[in-house]
């Protein structure tokens, strides 16, 4: 379980996360919604240990991410897919996928490579294994980003707006892959602006507003008039979201 | 009547001088490269006090004349430790340290040029600092630093000629000896110049070929 307890994160005087609490149990798909600047990315970056907390506590299966030793362990349990892919440009697609399983998990190279090739094939990139990231389209790069994360066999997949840099066609491509992962039971923390897609795949939806988590509801209740929609902020947010992508 | 013609022996004198220059250059460049790069990696992880100390110390080394550094080491250190240094040792120490200072600033810049996002990705995937350096930072920083390092190498090769002043018989000193005997400065110094040039040119060609290979897939910002 990922447990976020009263987390505070400041940049200078600004409290970007202001007492956020949230749990993600195995098997759940928890979507984080919120307007730009509400702290969604920061929350993901706190969970994977890229930001230092100013208050509160985050544990991943009991491992405290504020403790360097425990963070190293926690990082083997969760894997992140980034908005701008963040691939290693000097490595081939295949190497991007095999690097962490090999050097972090210390798994045998041949086995890791076979798995990586199978993963790449499952997202339609079997023939691009030896290409470099710069030679791929955005959608292809993000599919590599997803394979890189899945190659760690993570218990938790953290996704931060993984389709927002993609055009609608490539977005549909990537969402289709995520849909398959959800069907396979992958646990996800999913930051997105694809509200319609989130509605279909999420077990719960939480809403961040100016660094505060103002609702945390099962998906159907979130969209119910008496649930999330009862909050003026959320109603306003949803009315501004035009459903794009996710139709696939 | 002294013999002012060129003899076969002169070739040997020049070749020996060239050998000393090359050996001095290769040894001090290798040591300087290792020390400078190591210091730059340490600096990259921003240790509070050590970082500032490295910056200041190496800035001093970079921004003072090598000849002054050479005199400081050759005459100054023996006065402190009450033990003479041989010219070769003094030359080796000075050139290694001086090279390290230049390498340091080149490699610091090369490390800074590696895109932040991929570094964050590697950290999020659990790579340790050492693994991060080895797999992500070093290969790309090397590609970025290669051009300036080749330029530095050519320059440091030429700087080795200063050691002739404290009595190391390098290529320049060999030219000097030859010049004194033959009294044909134009021919002698042209020959010496061409020899330095040939080595420098070889270095540049080799370096650039290597750089192209390293750079093939390194990009300053992440993808
Ligand atoms: N490294 C940083 N230094 C200073 N301020 C930062 C930093 N990172 C984020 N912020 C600020 O924190 C706030 C929250 O940023 P964050 O990226 O978490 O928002 P977000 O909800 O992900 O927004 P978006 O939907 O645009 O991605 C913003 O006001 C942002 O300017
Ligand atoms: Mg964001």
């Amino acid at each position: 379980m990922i447990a976020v307890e009263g987390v505070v994160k400041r940049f200078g005087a600004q409290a970007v996360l202001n007492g956020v609490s949230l749990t993600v149990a195995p098997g759940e798909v928890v979507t984080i919604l919120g307007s730009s600047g509400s702290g969604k990315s920061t929350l993901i970056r706190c969970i994977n240990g890229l930001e230092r907390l100013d208050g509160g506590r985050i544990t991943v299966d009991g491992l405290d991410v504020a403790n360097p030793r425990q963070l190293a362990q926690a990082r083997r349990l969760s894997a992140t897919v980034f908005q701008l892919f963040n691939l290693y440009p000097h490595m081939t697609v295949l190497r991007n996928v095999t690097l962490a399983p090999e050097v972090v998990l210390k798994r045998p190279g041949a086995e890791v490579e076979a798995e990586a090739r199978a993963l790449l094939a499952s997202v339609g990139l079997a023939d691009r294994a030896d290409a470099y990231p710069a030679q791929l389209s955005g959608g292809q790069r993000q599919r590599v980003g997803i394979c890189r994360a899945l190659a760690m066999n993570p218990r938790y997949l953290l996704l931060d707006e993984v389709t927002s840099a993609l055009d609608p066609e490539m977005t549909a491509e990537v969402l289709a892959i995520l849909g398959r992962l959800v069907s396979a039971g992958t646990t996800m923390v999913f930051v997105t602006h694809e509200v319609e897609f989130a509605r279909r795949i999420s077990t719960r939806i939480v809403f961040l507003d100016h660094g505060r988590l103002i609702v945390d509801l099962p998906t159907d209740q979130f969209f119910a008039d008496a649930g999330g929609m009862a909050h003026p902020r959320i109603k306003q947010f949803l009315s501004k979201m035009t459903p794009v992508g996710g139709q696939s | 009547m002294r013999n002012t013609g060129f003899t076969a022996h002169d070739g040997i004198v020049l070749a020996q001088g060239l050998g000393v220059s090359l050996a001095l250059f290769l040894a001090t460049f290798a040591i300087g490269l290792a020390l400078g790069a190591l210091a730059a990696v340490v600096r990259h992880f921003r240790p509070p006090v050590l970082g500032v100390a490295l910056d200041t110390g190496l800035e001093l080394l970079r921004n003072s004349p090598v000849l002054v550094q050479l005199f400081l080491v050759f005459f100054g250190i023996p006065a402190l430790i009450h033990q003479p240094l041989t010219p070769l040792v003094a030359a080796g120490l000075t050139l290694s340290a001086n090279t390290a200072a230049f390498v340091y600033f080149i490699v610091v810049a090369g490390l800074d040029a590696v895109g932040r996002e991929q570094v964050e990705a590697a950290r999020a995937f659990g790579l340790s600092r050492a693994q991060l350096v080895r797999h992500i930072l070093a290969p790309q920083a090397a590609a970025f630093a290669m051009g300036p390092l080749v330029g530095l190498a050519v320059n440091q090769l030429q700087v080795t000629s200063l050691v002739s002043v404290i009595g190391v018989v390098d290529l320049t000193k060999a030219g000097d000896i030859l010049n004194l005997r033959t009294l044909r400065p134009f021919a002698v110094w042209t020959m010496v110049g061409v020899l330095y040039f040939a080595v420098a040119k070889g270095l540049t060609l080799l370096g650039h070929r290597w750089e192209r290979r390293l750079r093939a897939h390194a990009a300053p910002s992440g993808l």
Side-chain angles (χ1 to χ4, degrees):
Chain A
M1 186 168 81
I2 297 178
V4 177
E5 299 160 28
V7 163
V8 177
K9 174 67 197 175
R10 290 191 195 88
F11 288 114
Q14 185 197 8
V16 172
L17 294 177
N18 203 347
V20 171
S21 299
L22 170 73
T23 60
V24 181
E28 282 192 300
V29 175
V30 176
T31 290
I32 303 174
L33 296 180
S35 16
S36 185
S38 57
K40 306 180 297 292
S41 295
T42 306
L43 180 55
I44 294 283
R45 293 169 57 81
C46 286
I47 295 173
N48 63 22
L50 290 176
E51 300 287 355
R52 203 180 298 244
L53 307 185
D54 292 310
R57 204 168 108 95
I58 296 178
T59 55
V60 178
D61 287 359
L63 298 160
D64 189 338
V65 301
N67 174 310
R69 278 242 186 83
Q70 295 182 36
L71 175 61
Q73 289 302 313
R75 280 176 165 164
R76 295 157 164 249
L77 302 179
S78 72
T80 309
V81 183
F82 297 85
Q83 179 172 6
L84 297 175
F85 330 128
N86 299 17
L87 300 179
Y88 316 124
H90 60 303
M91 292 178 178
T92 63
V93 163
L94 184 66
R95 191 60 182 146
N96 264 274
V97 177
T98 58
L99 179 70
E102 253 183 68
V103 310
V104 178
L105 303 181
K106 312 244 185 285
R107 295 181 49 207
E111 185 187 308
V112 169
E113 183 180 327
E115 258 185 51
R117 285 190 188 278
L119 276 170
L120 288 169
S122 75
V123 299
L125 289 176
D127 56 336
R128 305 301 279 151
D130 298 320
Y132 285 85
Q135 299 165 330
L136 303 181
S137 73
Q140 290 175 328
R141 284 178 205 172
Q142 196 56 294
R143 285 185 267 159
V144 176
I146 292 170
C147 289
R148 175 173 68 172
L150 293 177
M152 293 296 280
N153 286 315
R155 278 189 212 165
Y156 308 100
L157 200 54
L158 311 176
L159 304 115
D160 186 7
E161 296 197 38
V162 297
T163 59
S164 61
L166 304 178
D167 69 26
E169 197 180 337
M170 296 196 278
T171 297
E173 226 169 62
V174 168
L175 292 184
I177 291 165
L178 297 184
R180 271 174 16 222
L181 291 175
V182 171
S183 312
T186 312
T187 308
M188 290 187 191
V189 182
F190 188 47
V191 172
T192 190
H193 287 292
E194 303 285 344
V195 176
E196 277 311 307
F197 181 73
R199 185 176 188 160
R200 277 200 283 121
I201 65 159
S202 309
T203 44
R204 269 163 51 224
I205 296 190
V206 304
F207 192 87
L208 264 182
D209 187 39
H210 295 293
R212 291 181 188 279
L213 208 153
I214 60 173
V215 290
D216 178 345
L217 288 171
T219 306
D220 47 346
Q221 287 178 38
F222 182 88
F223 288 99
D225 286 336
M229 291 296 266
H231 284 257
R233 274 297 291 122
I234 295 175
K235 192 164 182 177
Q236 182 196 12
F237 174 84
L238 290 177
S239 70
K240 277 192 300 194
M241 303 300 299
T242 45
V244 288
Q247 312 90 329
S248 59
Chain B
M1 184 71 202
R2 62 194 275 177
N3 176 14
T4 58
F6 289 109
T7 66
H9 183 254
D10 298 336
I12 296 172
V13 171
L14 276 182
Q16 277 175 345
L18 180 63
V20 169
S21 288
L22 270 179
L24 192 61
F25 161 72
L26 288 175
T28 58
F29 199 78
I31 295 170
L33 191 62
L35 291 179
L38 185 69
V41 169
V42 169
R43 163 74 168 69
H44 189 71
F45 292 104
R46 299 183 201 292
V49 183
L50 191 56
V52 176
L54 281 172
D55 276 359
T56 325
L58 295 174
E59 183 83 52
L60 276 172
L61 263 182
R62 184 174 64 159
N63 287 338
S64 60
V66 183
L67 194 57
V68 172
Q69 295 170 15
L70 195 59
F71 286 166
L72 179 68
V73 171
F74 187 57
F75 301 113
I77 289 185
L80 274 185
I81 63 172
H82 302 291
Q83 268 211 31
L85 286 183
T86 68
L88 208 54
V89 169
L93 280 175
T94 310
L95 292 180
S96 299
N98 183 258
T99 304
F102 281 92
V103 168
Y104 173 79
F105 289 99
I106 291 172
V107 176
V108 163
L111 288 167
D112 284 345
V114 178
R116 273 190 72 79
E117 329 72 45
Q118 0 150 359
V119 172
E120 290 197 330
R123 283 174 52 210
F125 275 92
L127 271 74
S128 67
R129 275 185 179 183
Q131 290 168 338
L132 183 67
V133 170
R134 165 144 179 244
H135 297 284
I136 308 295
L137 292 174
Q140 295 182 83
F144 299 136
M146 200 60 198
L149 285 176
V150 172
L152 176 66
V154 168
N155 192 62
Q156 294 302 95
L157 169 72
Q158 284 153 20
V159 165
T160 58
S161 65
L162 290 175
V163 305
S164 60
V165 174
I166 59 169
V168 176
V169 186
D170 69 334
L171 180 55
T172 301
K173 189 72 187 172
D176 201 24
I177 293 167
L178 209 58
N179 180 43
L180 285 177
R181 191 175 56 74
T182 61
L183 301 174
R184 286 206 239 166
F186 192 80
V188 168
W189 292 120
T190 301
M191 238 178 333
V192 169
V194 166
L195 283 174
Y196 276 113
F197 170 80
V199 177
K201 190 73 192 169
L203 272 177
T204 311
L205 289 177
L206 213 71
H208 285 165
R209 187 180 320 160
W210 203 6
E211 184 191 1
R212 263 198 308 279
R213 247 191 22 217
L214 281 174
R215 260 195 185 262
H217 299 286
S221 58
L223 285 162

